[in-house]
Amino acid sequence: MKIDFAQSAQSTLGVEWELAIVDRYNGELVSVADQVLRGVSANHPELQDDDEHPHIKQELLLNTVELVTGVCTTVEEAKADLSRSLAAVREVTDPMGVELFCAGSHPFSAPRSQQVTDKERYAKLIDRTQWWGRQMVIYGVHVHVGLDHRDKALPVVDGLANYFPHFQALSASSPFWGGEDTGYASQRALMFQQLPTAGLPFHFDDWAAYESYVEDMFTTGVIDSVSEIRWDIRPVGNLGTVEMRVCDGLSTLQDVGAVAALTQCLVHEFSTTLDAGGTIPTMPPWHIQENKWRAARYGLDAIIILDAQGNEQLVTEHLVEVLDRLEPVAAKLGCSSELADVEGILQRGAGYQRQRRIAEDNDGDLRAVVLDMVQQLRG
């Protein structure tokens, strides 16, 4: 099987932001995405009846809309794109009496009560995955970064896997599930990997080995489309990008910009290393798997494995070193202020910490947690 890798300008950017739709007063999820999307289309008469808005999309569940940027050069441009789409959605949702928020999961709405979008591919997913598929009341942020050559894609995926716990810890925002505190910073990380072909990516020595894997997946009926390979980090051949899908949902545009800048800078650094004839270090898969679990469990308090030799460090301490190293890269890419926003997350804490604090301040009332996240997105 031949998988083409599209022409893409190096370090261009695309961001996807999944938003939950909730009742304005009680914070419960509401399944009105179809109505929202129809309203958005009605406000854009240039769209035909069956046309999907280019930047506002359907998702698996009817309680979700996804904002998708165009191809951007800078993080600032991507944030402006998302802001325009958010405003377009609010034109419809504000009169409806519903609100938007983003986190890795909804703290208390029952997964079994959520309606699935009426599309064949979603119905097939639920039919195949059953209970696990019906639990996917989760929200994330995905960042695409363009590469100028196909042969960089798999080494860059390996490189980003080394930073899996950094992204997970920064974004972790799903401590509650079904009204209970799970004890994890990110329940979403462990929930999503239960789907077939989800979870950590495999290592491939070259593109031909990756093509062979995909062919096997088609031959054995595991997938019907390459997009059904739902790894946490993956190459996207038709776009000419690598896609970082690690992050839990983030409650503010500022935080979305921060993780987008960190992703863009790392990918650009990896690409420069490869251009110079260098290699990107890898770790044994058992180290990467352990790092994922530690970051999901402990968030910003995780002590992570740094290299194949087993050296360890507190994730926040290592992040400070990484940010210092990437400052010249950020200056070149025009995202210095957005990369600096990563340090803001370290200083004020991640989403899971704020959620627990709000719950404690409100005697365990998780409605207050949802409404606080609504206000964060408003702010």
Side-chain angles (χ1 to χ4, degrees):
M1 172 175 285
K2 180 174 173 54
I3 301 174
D4 293 327
F5 195 81
Q7 290 290 321
S8 185
Q10 178 60 51
S11 301
T12 46
L13 193 69
V15 182
E16 302 167 4
W17 193 13
E18 296 171 348
L19 303 178
I21 311 170
V22 295
D23 183 275
R24 176 171 294 165
Y25 301 104
N26 62 25
E28 284 276 6
L29 288 168
V30 288
S31 297
V32 295
D34 279 352
Q35 184 178 342
V36 172
L37 292 168
R38 284 196 301 270
V40 169
S41 295
N43 289 340
H44 292 80
E46 71 277 8
L47 298 175
Q48 301 299 314
D49 290 343
D50 294 331
D51 283 352
E52 189 176 45
H53 191 283
H55 300 296
I56 303 170
K57 307 288 187 179
Q58 280 190 319
E59 256 296 330
L60 170 66
L61 298 175
L62 285 173
N63 60 44
T64 310
V65 293
E66 183 180 37
L67 310 186
V68 180
T69 72
V71 178
C72 303
T73 303
T74 65
V75 178
E76 181 181 25
E77 184 184 345
K79 288 171 65 177
D81 192 323
L82 291 171
S83 184
R84 287 191 298 272
S85 294
L86 181 57
V89 173
R90 287 207 190 280
E91 286 180 25
V92 178
T93 56
D94 282 353
M96 291 172 60
V98 298
E99 283 285 357
L100 305 167
F101 88 92
C102 187
S105 65
H106 190 284
F108 61 85
S109 284
R112 65 181 178 274
S113 301
Q114 308 311 313
Q115 298 177 37
V116 177
T117 298
D118 185 18
K119 282 192 174 181
E120 183 180 355
R121 64 190 177 104
Y122 293 139
K124 183 177 179 181
L125 172 67
I126 297 299
D127 180 64
R128 185 178 185 210
T129 58
Q130 292 294 302
W131 187 89
W132 284 114
R134 289 190 290 269
Q135 297 303 302
M136 295 297 140
V137 187
I138 54 178
Y139 311 91
V141 171
H142 304 162
V143 181
H144 290 261
V145 182
L147 293 172
D148 58 5
H149 198 284
R150 183 198 70 181
D151 291 344
K152 292 181 178 180
L154 296 173
V156 168
V157 168
D158 289 340
L160 284 174
N162 294 333
Y163 291 88
F164 189 107
H166 306 68
F167 286 108
Q168 187 67 83
L170 286 168
S171 67
S173 59
S174 48
F176 299 107
W177 190 265
E180 296 184 31
D181 191 327
T182 65
Y184 282 76
S186 175
Q187 165 77 351
R188 170 188 169 272
L190 304 183
M191 181 63 66
F192 188 57
Q193 70 182 13
Q194 303 307 318
L195 292 181
T197 71
L200 292 166
F202 298 112
H203 167 79
F204 301 98
D205 288 332
D206 54 34
W207 193 256
Y210 168 67
E211 289 175 325
S212 179
Y213 162 82
V214 174
E215 183 173 13
D216 281 349
M217 295 298 100
F218 274 102
T219 301
T220 55
V222 177
I223 61 174
D224 295 318
S225 166
V226 177
S227 65
E228 292 175 8
I229 297 173
R230 301 181 176 92
W231 295 331
D232 299 319
I233 307 162
R234 65 183 182 181
V236 183
N238 65 310
L239 297 178
T241 68
V242 289
E243 182 184 12
M244 195 281 296
R245 301 158 49 86
V246 172
C247 290
D248 276 18
L250 292 153
S251 293
T252 69
L253 189 57
Q254 181 182 39
D255 288 353
V256 172
V259 300
L262 181 58
T263 310
Q264 187 186 34
C265 287
L266 284 170
V267 172
H268 191 84
E269 182 186 55
F270 297 147
S271 180
T272 302
T273 296
L274 295 169
D275 284 338
T279 58
I280 299 172
T282 59
M283 287 195 290
W286 47 90
H287 285 355
I288 297 171
Q289 185 173 346
E290 174 65 13
N291 274 344
K292 177 176 181 175
W293 184 86
R294 291 185 188 185
R297 170 65 178 87
Y298 299 108
L300 292 174
D301 292 322
I303 296 173
I304 62 169
I305 304 165
L306 298 178
D307 50 39
Q309 290 71 46
N311 293 303
E312 296 175 290
Q313 189 176 8
L314 184 65
V315 67
T316 50
E317 293 176 356
H318 193 247
L319 261 167
V320 171
E321 295 176 10
V322 172
L323 293 176
D324 288 344
R325 189 187 80 224
L326 292 176
E327 279 184 3
V329 181
K332 182 175 181 179
L333 295 173
C335 62
S336 295
S337 62
E338 290 86 3
L339 186 67
D341 286 336
V342 174
E343 197 158 354
I345 299 175
L346 300 181
Q347 292 170 354
R348 67 178 176 272
Y352 72 95
Q353 294 169 313
R354 179 172 177 134
Q355 288 183 40
R356 285 186 171 132
R357 186 169 66 249
I358 295 296
E360 184 177 357
D361 290 346
N362 288 273
D363 299 321
D365 186 355
L366 297 183
R367 291 174 299 180
V369 174
V370 174
L371 297 178
D372 176 69
M373 289 187 287
V374 165
Q375 290 307 312
Q376 287 182 68
L377 186 57
R378 280 280 181 189

